[in-house]
Amino acid sequence: MNDLARGVVPMIEAIGLTRYYGDFVAVRDITFRVYKGEVVALLGPNGAGKSTTLKLLTGYLAPSAGEARIGGHNMATDRLAGAALLGYLPEDGPLYLDMTPRGLLNFFAEARGLTGQLKQDRIDAVVELCGLATVLNKPIGKLSRGYRQRVGMAQALLHEPQVLILDEPTAGLDPIQIHEVRETIRRLGQERTILLSTHILQEVEAMAHRALFIDSGRLIYDGPISALVEGGKRLDEAFRELTSGGLDE
């Protein structure tokens, strides 16, 4: 269905995204759209270009060619407007190890322009959502990787963004925490737009309905996960076929 038929602007849009590092092409001519209410998984082998794609979409990296748009805003020329709609959790989140979660959330809330009771209400909300109450006053550097990941998720959700871009959101979590993150993402995805990168295929089937496969910097599949597992095929089998030049031909 095209944008006119949907009657809405894509919340995440890649238009011919390309990024060079010298002579090396990290991603080449990637184009896709993600709409409100979609949870989409970005998949591919290690080194395929997943993290580079996410950094281009968030404006963290500038594209060598093409455009990245968040809520219709070009992230190269209108980044502040796009960033106001965006919550971003990098694989190694923006955590200051000497700070406590309380201090870090206060810092990010003020950087986002939240003040007074609204700031406190939003901090309280993400602390409860991400299960941080017992570690609020401990230095982040002394927290487990799982708790650091929760702190990163909390800062990404502080300003109630319409769009979430998550790079390996369950990395370092135990099974109970992974289940909690899955449920949180599913719940958030009902009203928001979520693009997540993961290498854990079980996470894809649990959280997303649509997949984007990248291999060697190129988008080779954009479609429903259900189409990949037709006939009882496992997702890991489809993954191997896609990345070895099977289903994309």
Side-chain angles (χ1 to χ4, degrees):
M1 184 181 294
N2 61 34
D3 296 348
L4 183 60
R6 288 174 180 267
V8 294
V9 172
M11 294 305 295
I12 302 173
E13 188 170 16
I15 307 169
L17 276 183
T18 300
R19 173 72 186 195
Y20 294 94
Y21 292 101
D23 294 331
F24 174 71
V25 184
V27 297
R28 184 191 297 275
D29 196 28
I30 289 180
T31 296
F32 62 84
R33 298 178 179 89
V34 185
Y35 293 86
K36 181 178 179 180
E38 285 194 290
V39 179
V40 177
L42 181 65
L43 305 174
N46 290 336
K50 300 187 300 297
S51 290
T52 298
T53 300
L54 298 186
K55 290 175 181 178
L56 290 168
L57 290 169
T58 61
Y60 182 83
L61 286 178
S64 303
E67 292 183 14
R69 294 181 176 271
I70 299 294
H73 300 285
N74 188 320
M75 295 302 285
T77 60
D78 198 14
R79 185 179 179 189
L80 289 180
L85 304 175
L86 176 65
Y88 176 38
L89 176 63
E91 185 174 2
D92 296 308
L95 304 180
Y96 301 99
L97 300 185
D98 292 336
M99 297 179 74
T100 64
R102 185 189 301 278
L104 182 124
L105 291 174
N106 268 288
F107 171 77
F108 276 103
E110 291 174 3
R112 288 287 189 179
L114 301 177
T115 58
Q117 191 60 47
L118 176 60
K119 179 182 79 168
Q120 191 57 53
D121 288 347
R122 287 305 306 152
I123 290 175
D124 290 346
V126 298
V127 166
E128 180 178 358
L129 181 65
C130 299
L132 295 173
T134 60
V135 300
L136 266 183
N137 298 308
K138 296 182 179 180
I140 291 172
K142 295 188 178 297
L143 299 181
S144 68
R145 181 172 175 83
Y147 269 114
R148 293 187 196 185
Q149 196 75 348
R150 293 196 204 189
V151 174
M153 179 75 80
Q155 68 79 24
L157 293 169
L158 259 178
H159 58 301
E160 295 188 280
Q162 296 180 38
V163 176
L164 283 170
I165 292 181
L166 311 173
D167 196 353
E168 301 289 350
T170 59
L173 304 186
D174 64 35
I176 293 175
Q177 294 165 348
I178 288 172
H179 176 75
E180 292 171 351
V181 169
R182 285 179 182 172
E183 292 303 310
T184 298
I185 289 174
R186 276 199 289 253
R187 186 167 62 252
L188 292 170
Q190 294 174 6
E191 298 180 351
R192 293 171 172 81
T193 305
I194 300 178
L195 178 64
L196 63 96
S197 171
T198 180
H199 67 281
I200 304 174
L201 297 183
Q202 296 93 324
E203 298 303 301
V204 176
E205 294 182 274
M207 292 186 287
H209 298 99
R210 178 178 154 211
L212 304 167
F213 271 86
I214 293 179
D215 191 25
S216 300
R218 294 181 180 273
L219 184 65
I220 58 174
Y221 179 83
D222 177 358
I225 293 170
S226 58
L228 296 171
V229 293
E230 287 180 344
K233 182 184 294 184
R234 297 196 313 270
L235 190 56
D236 62 330
E237 294 175 318
F239 181 93
R240 288 194 297 270
E241 290 181 356
L242 279 166
T243 55
S244 64
L247 297 181
D248 59 306
E249 293 182 346

